[in-house]
Amino acid sequence: MSIILAFETSCDETAVAVYDTQKGVLANPCFSQIALHAHFGGVIPEIASRSHVEKIGVVLQEALTAADTTLEMVDAIAVTTHPGLPSALLVGTCYAKAIAWALHKPIIGVNHLEGHIFSAFLEQNVPFPHLCLTASGGHTALYLVTDFGRYELVAHTVDDAAGEAFDKVSQMIGLGYPGGPIIEQYAAEAHFVDFFQYPRASIHDINFSFSGLKTAVLYDAVKRNLYNLETKKRTDLLDKAMQQKIASSLLVCMRDIFMRKLADACARYPSIQAITFVGGVASNTYLKQAIAAFAATRKLAFYSPSRQFCTDNASMIAFVGAYKARRQEFDQYDLDIRYL
Ligand code: KG4
Ligand code: ZN
């Protein structure tokens, strides 16, 4: 049995976790900076890193108390080193290294995306090989996952991420940041009807592209006199009912894009046993249910983490740290962030 302490500060969440390799997650506190960035419609790196500096000690203390653990009881320390905002990653990485060095604990640098890829394992055992759809504010990709730490990229976004599409459209139609949760709520209020039939992914390879979708929503709104391109402002016609219709059409379109890419990937890898859906966008119940139904029709198991492990969290970093520790894959104390 061993205890992994993990830090995650790659973007706008200051997260710390205490993970027991036998009992699972003992503590998973997280300070979300959403309120600090909402006014700007996106994450401001300088504000993010300052807030991480302020909060990381507080969140660490919260984690240790909740897990009834001391730093001395920790066997290894894991930390996200990439990808992410460099100034934000630096806070967690320096903090984790300082503790590891002072207490002579091994340190493990973790890829944030690898954390998301294995996040479904925090609550369930997923069979290999499986397909993992990772969708967040910064990334959207499909992976073929063959073992712990062994995965290959099947498809990636060539421009915006899925979450970014929600965030940008939400901002444009006046629903604020982050867009995902409010788009989901408004779409539900419009009963997930595809009012405006935005174009589905038009690129012909398996990769994702969402910047065209975002632009299509914008030009459709201009065409309907809902948005003025010159003043970059919404018109009075863009009322709540319209916001609901746009949200609903966008979410249905996103569902169809995901379905098509999953169908392509399933055809390419017939040996897969399951599909996982992870990352912040996987908090979306409508998308989750659609992918679960898709998996069921293909007799594949489906796994997706609960909301706390979909959005950025340190437990997923601890989980990767745990299997790396088991394989003695430790880093040196001069571990640095990576600019990927
Ligand atoms: O994984 P995450 O917390 O951070 C990144 O690594 O980016 O994902 C944040 C993203 C945001 O773009 C947010 O709008 C989206 O996840 N998101 C959602 C939902 N909740 C959060 N997207 C769709 N539906 C949701 N319910
Ligand atoms: Zn993430």
Side-chain angles (χ1 to χ4, degrees):
M1 184 198 89
S2 54
I3 292 191
I4 312 289
L5 173 68
F7 296 90
E8 155 62 46
T9 64
S10 66
C11 191
D12 60 344
E13 263 99 19
T14 313
V16 181
V18 180
Y19 179 80
D20 181 315
T21 51
Q22 277 181 349
K23 296 185 196 150
V25 177
L26 301 183
N28 183 53
C30 172
F31 173 78
S32 168
Q33 303 175 359
I34 282 178
L36 300 180
H37 302 287
H39 168 71
F40 303 97
V43 178
I44 307 295
E46 176 69 16
I47 294 176
S49 53
R50 278 171 187 263
S51 174
H52 286 311
V53 171
E54 267 173 41
K55 293 292 182 209
I56 195 163
V58 180
V59 182
L60 168 63
Q61 200 48 57
E62 202 183 318
L64 293 173
T65 306
D68 197 15
T69 307
T70 62
L71 284 177
E72 287 69 29
M73 289 159 69
V74 168
D75 296 290
I77 297 179
V79 61
T80 305
T81 52
H82 65 289
L85 301 171
S87 58
L89 288 164
L90 266 175
V91 178
T93 303
C94 292
Y95 201 87
K97 277 199 303 188
I99 296 178
W101 182 78
L103 298 176
H104 308 287
K105 307 285 184 189
I107 183 124
I108 305 157
V110 173
N111 176 336
H112 179 83
L113 297 174
E114 189 168 333
H116 277 302
I117 292 170
F118 291 91
S119 58
F121 284 88
L122 289 167
E123 294 161 305
Q124 279 152 319
N125 248 329
V126 186
F128 296 113
H130 62 258
L131 271 179
C132 172
L133 173 58
T134 309
S136 70
H139 308 274
T140 299
L142 263 170
Y143 296 92
L144 176 67
V145 188
T146 50
D147 198 354
F148 295 109
R150 312 275 179 261
Y151 51 93
E152 72 181 69
L153 186 66
V154 172
H156 64 95
T157 175
V158 296
D159 40 54
D160 291 354
E164 203 176 344
F166 287 129
D167 294 338
K168 286 181 174 167
V169 170
S170 173
Q171 195 67 19
M172 182 190 93
I173 65 174
L175 293 179
Y177 174 85
I182 185 92
I183 295 269
E184 178 173 21
Q185 184 200 318
Y186 272 44
E189 287 163 9
H191 309 290
F192 307 110
V193 172
D194 188 8
F195 297 95
F196 301 142
Q197 301 178 356
Y198 300 130
R200 278 46 180 160
S202 56
I203 50 173
H204 298 298
D205 63 21
I206 198 170
N207 289 321
F208 298 93
S209 166
F210 295 108
S211 95
L213 173 59
K214 176 194 70 194
T215 312
V217 176
L218 171 68
Y219 281 98
D220 188 77
V222 171
K223 195 182 77 192
R224 294 173 199 280
N225 289 324
L226 304 172
Y227 193 85
N228 185 323
L229 257 192
E230 275 168 24
T231 59
K232 292 198 168 38
K233 289 212 166 75
R234 304 180 292 281
T235 69
D236 291 343
L237 294 178
L238 186 41
D239 57 6
K240 184 163 185 191
M242 259 315 161
Q243 289 172 321
Q244 289 167 330
K245 286 182 178 177
I246 294 174
S248 189
S249 308
L250 177 66
L251 191 49
V252 176
C253 182
M254 187 67 77
R255 178 203 64 187
D256 290 352
I257 293 170
F258 282 169
M259 294 299 129
R260 204 172 95 191
K261 299 298 175 183
L262 282 169
D264 288 354
C266 286
R268 197 181 280 192
Y269 302 103
S271 64
I272 58 160
Q273 311 281 310
I275 294 175
T276 62
F277 181 33
V278 303
V281 176
S283 319
N284 190 295
T285 309
Y286 174 78
L287 292 173
K288 222 178 243 226
Q289 285 172 351
I291 298 174
F294 169 92
T297 60
R298 283 172 163 70
K299 302 213 172 356
L300 296 169
F302 173 74
Y303 303 87
S304 185
S306 55
R307 199 170 287 251
Q308 59 172 334
F309 299 130
C310 281
T311 48
D312 287 350
N313 66 87
S315 293
M316 65 185 193
I317 304 305
F319 185 84
V320 173
Y323 64 68
K324 282 181 167 258
R326 205 165 50 239
R327 294 171 177 162
Q328 302 279 306
E329 289 173 12
F330 299 117
D331 286 290
Q332 303 293 320
Y333 289 137
D334 65 357
L335 173 70
D336 200 355
I337 64 162
R338 281 166 57 182
Y339 298 85
L340 282 183

